[in-house]
Amino acid sequence: MNKTKNLIFDLDGTLVDSAPGIICALELSFAACNIAPSLPIGAISIGPPLRELLGTLAPTASRSELDFLAQTFANFYDSDGCRNSPFFPGVNKMLLDLHNSPDTLYLITNKRAKPTSTILANHGWTKYFSKILSPDSFGSTALSKKQLILNLIQLESLSPDACMYLGDSYGDYIASIDAGINFARAEWGYTDIRLDSENLLLSFTTPIAFTFSMQSTHGTTEQLPKSGN
């Protein structure tokens, strides 16, 4: 058993429902760029990096067209769309209670730094996190979630066994396991049925349940198996 001191949170689908703002900004962007999406925008999964989302919606677009789409989306989303990101019930209290516990809170997201900062500031959450990392936190080259977790561990001199990532997607799970840290599923967030087939040791139906588990056990968890085991 390992004592978890470092709780790392996903943003989209775990802390906030960012789908309304993202979908609206995508619809405006595709219309403004006169590009027809290959599937209904409302049917996409929220959470992957922006370029991955755009590639899914416009698989035949050229690199210059994707660049234009990305910049147009950023203009729409950063100015207004990101503000339409309500938090899930119970999340605000979860963060407050865990911030006041012995554990240290971090945030790692696939969302770019600018809208992430806006969302956290709007909800009054910035002060809860010791460090906030986005794909563009280290320059123009977008980093994967696994890379961001590994960077956090190095920057903060953390023990992987003392870290847990709370997320809602299969991508969150794989990034956590590949980075050698524990993973906990936020069942209240976006549904990713691929997680249903995994033998997860830690899965929580509500933020209250997650908070109670962390507080009642003082953050003690078992190490999850590595990816592929």
Side-chain angles (χ1 to χ4, degrees):
M1 303 292 284
N2 297 304
K3 189 171 184 181
T4 299
K5 286 288 189 181
N6 309 295
L7 303 179
I8 309 170
F9 293 84
D10 174 45
L11 183 60
D12 296 329
T14 298
L15 300 183
V16 301
D17 179 9
S18 53
I22 290 175
I23 290 172
C24 180
L26 284 171
E27 290 173 341
L28 291 171
S29 301
F30 274 83
C33 297
N34 197 28
I35 296 176
S38 62
L39 70 159
I41 291 177
I44 63 169
S45 297
I46 303 299
L50 175 58
R51 293 298 292 236
E52 184 177 330
L53 283 178
L54 296 178
T56 299
L57 290 168
T60 61
S62 66
R63 181 168 182 173
S64 61
E65 287 175 323
L66 289 175
D67 288 341
F68 188 36
L69 266 174
Q71 186 56 58
T72 305
F73 173 87
N75 293 339
F76 283 126
Y77 188 68
D78 294 3
S79 63
D80 186 57
C82 67
R83 301 179 190 279
N84 188 8
S85 300
F87 57 77
F88 290 106
V91 163
N92 196 52
K93 179 171 172 50
M94 173 185 72
L95 292 176
L96 175 62
D97 290 347
L98 292 174
H99 176 67
N100 291 328
S101 76
D103 295 331
T104 303
L105 277 55
Y106 301 95
L107 187 135
I108 290 181
T109 175
N110 282 327
K111 191 181 294 296
R112 293 168 298 109
K114 185 175 180 179
T116 295
S117 176
T118 299
I119 292 171
L120 295 180
N122 282 350
H123 291 317
W125 292 347
T126 308
K127 61 181 177 292
Y128 293 151
F129 300 103
S130 294
K131 191 169 288 293
I132 300 161
L133 297 183
S134 293
D136 56 344
S137 291
F138 297 93
S140 59
T141 301
L143 298 183
S144 69
K145 190 163 284 187
K146 172 189 172 181
Q147 291 171 316
L148 291 173
I149 293 172
L150 292 174
N151 281 9
L152 176 68
I153 289 171
Q154 182 177 22
L155 288 170
E156 299 290 293
S157 299
L158 306 178
S159 168
D161 285 353
C163 296
M164 178 191 293
Y165 192 92
L166 178 68
D168 66 293
S169 73
Y170 187 75
D172 294 336
Y173 167 70
I174 293 299
S176 302
I177 301 307
D178 285 352
I181 69 171
N182 299 302
F183 174 77
R185 182 183 186 181
E187 294 182 29
W188 64 84
Y190 300 149
T191 301
D192 192 332
I193 60 174
R194 292 174 296 177
L195 286 174
D196 295 341
S197 61
E198 299 296 334
N199 186 26
L200 299 179
L201 297 176
L202 296 164
S203 189
F204 301 93
T205 57
T206 66
I208 293 175
F210 178 74
T211 304
F212 179 78
S213 177
M214 295 301 98
Q215 291 180 332
S216 64
T217 62
H218 302 290
T220 300
T221 66
E222 290 187 4
Q223 178 69 38
L224 293 177
K226 302 294 184 184
S227 176
N229 289 348

